[in-house]
Each structure stands twice: as structure tokens, then as C-alpha cells.
Amino acid sequence: MVEPHWQLIARIARETGQRVVVPVYPLIPFGSARAVRDGVIALIRAELDSGVQVKLAGDSSGGQIALSAALALRDAGTVLPATVLLSPGLDLTWQNPEIEAVQPSDPWLARPGGRVLADEWRAGDALEDPAVSTLFGDMRGLGPLTIVTGARDVLNPDAHVLRRKARAQGVPVSWHEGRGQLHVFALLPTWAGDQGARVIVSSLN
């Protein structure tokens, strides 16, 4: 977690009037996709058991965790009213051929390093397991999704796939693509970043 994360979290709390719970989860090599997802689900269930409504939001790997948790909760009969994904990691096989077209314009992320991280994060699960690569999950029955993605992000092509798949399976999707924008651009202190943050706040409202 870095300062821009906390600034966005404070903005969400201030502009929505909602309490924001921030799971600080273990990173590799201490954490793994399934273990972290299950820990987040436990936090969500504790909130639900106390009688409050829960919405999810996550950026990058946090987006993968948020969607993975929403899918598992849906399977258990709990549909969340909002899941907001900022530049989510969706397919850790990195097989989307459109990534090659985006890669030269992304100064931040790259497929070779992403594959190394993915192999650690899966911790023995198949890369195609929805707990690891949420894009392989069945989206039917999910609550509304908001997707915020930058066109210069190597994760952007998979976000397009998620949009098409979710809508085809009857999930309401609010789509926001920043032209010329980078990975997690809504965290940046720019005009485009402010617009992305506005979308996130509005979706959680």
C-alpha cells in the first residue's frame, strides 16, 4: 500500500459516507491466490453477519482477489451489490494475443515478469482455476461490475474479454476505459486519475 491508495480510500470514505475496510494481505512468497481469497471472504462474511451491506473494490492484484471472492460468494448464495475493478489481473496464463499490441506502450508491466509472479501466486493451483485467473470463471449470477482500465495497460485486453463475457452471461457491466492511460491510472494525481476516481466513488455510491 502506498500513499495514493490511502488517498483514494479516504476519498471513498469521505464522498460515500461508507466505512472502508482494507484487507492487508500477504504477498508472495508468503501469500497465494486461494489463501488470500479465502481470507478476504472470511472478512466479508464477518461484515455480512453483523448486518451491513458489503461492496468490493480492488486494483491490480486486488482486482483479481475482489472478483475471485465475488465469484466464490456467488457460488455460496451471496450476491454482492457492487464489485469495482481497477486495472484487474484477470488471466494469469498471459495468453491473450492482444497483449503484444499493448506491450510496447506500457512502461510499467510486462508479460515475462507477470508470468513469474503468476507461477508463484498460484501456489500449486492450475493457472486456469478461477481462484487464480478469474476470467475462466462463470460470471452468471454476479452482481453489477464496474471496470476501470487504461488502454496502455497490458491487462487491458483481458478487461475487454471480461466485459464481453460478463455481459453475454447477463451481468450488468459499467465500462470505463482511459485512452492513453496506464495501469491503475485512477490512483495518479492527474486529471484522468481524478476522473477514474470519480467513477469508482460513483459506483460505490
Side-chain angles (χ1 to χ4, degrees):
M1 299 287 286
V2 293
E3 185 176 352
H5 287 106
W6 295 111
Q7 290 171 341
L8 179 57
I9 289 162
R11 180 172 180 175
I12 291 169
R14 181 175 65 250
E15 296 184 14
T16 68
Q18 299 170 14
R19 185 169 65 96
V20 182
V21 177
V22 183
V24 180
Y25 57 87
L27 306 178
I28 56 175
F30 307 106
S32 64
R34 185 175 300 276
V36 169
R37 181 204 66 179
D38 291 347
V40 169
I41 289 173
L43 289 175
I44 293 168
R45 290 198 182 282
E47 294 294 317
L48 293 171
D49 289 345
S50 70
V52 301
Q53 185 185 71
V54 175
K55 304 168 187 176
L56 285 180
D59 73 284
S60 196
S61 61
Q64 178 259 324
I65 295 163
L67 183 55
S68 178
L71 289 170
L73 287 163
R74 183 272 325 265
D75 291 345
T78 299
V79 178
L80 299 179
T83 301
V84 181
L85 309 174
L86 169 59
S87 303
L90 299 167
D91 179 2
L92 300 193
T93 70
W94 290 85
Q95 64 185 0
N96 192 324
E98 298 299 321
I99 291 173
E100 291 301 324
V102 179
Q103 183 68 86
S105 67
D106 187 337
W108 200 335
L109 301 181
R111 180 181 267 164
R115 283 178 166 157
V116 172
L117 294 173
D119 194 53
E120 291 287 330
W121 188 236
R122 69 189 181 97
D125 285 324
L127 285 172
E128 297 83 2
D129 190 309
V132 179
S133 296
T134 52
L135 204 54
F136 289 89
D138 186 342
M139 303 298 156
R140 285 174 288 191
L142 276 180
L145 296 177
T146 297
I147 304 171
V148 183
T149 178
R152 291 178 59 193
D153 181 356
V154 291
L155 303 183
N156 174 266
D158 289 336
H160 280 269
V161 176
L162 175 62
R163 176 187 61 169
R164 294 191 295 267
K165 180 175 183 177
R167 285 179 173 171
Q169 294 182 344
V171 179
V173 176
S174 178
W175 173 258
H176 304 272
E177 183 176 38
R179 289 188 179 183
Q181 298 306 311
L182 306 177
H183 185 64
V184 298
F185 72 93
L187 294 175
L188 302 179
T190 62
W191 179 87
D194 178 66
Q195 297 306 301
R198 285 175 185 269
V199 166
I200 293 169
V201 169
S202 176
S203 297
L204 292 172
N205 260 328

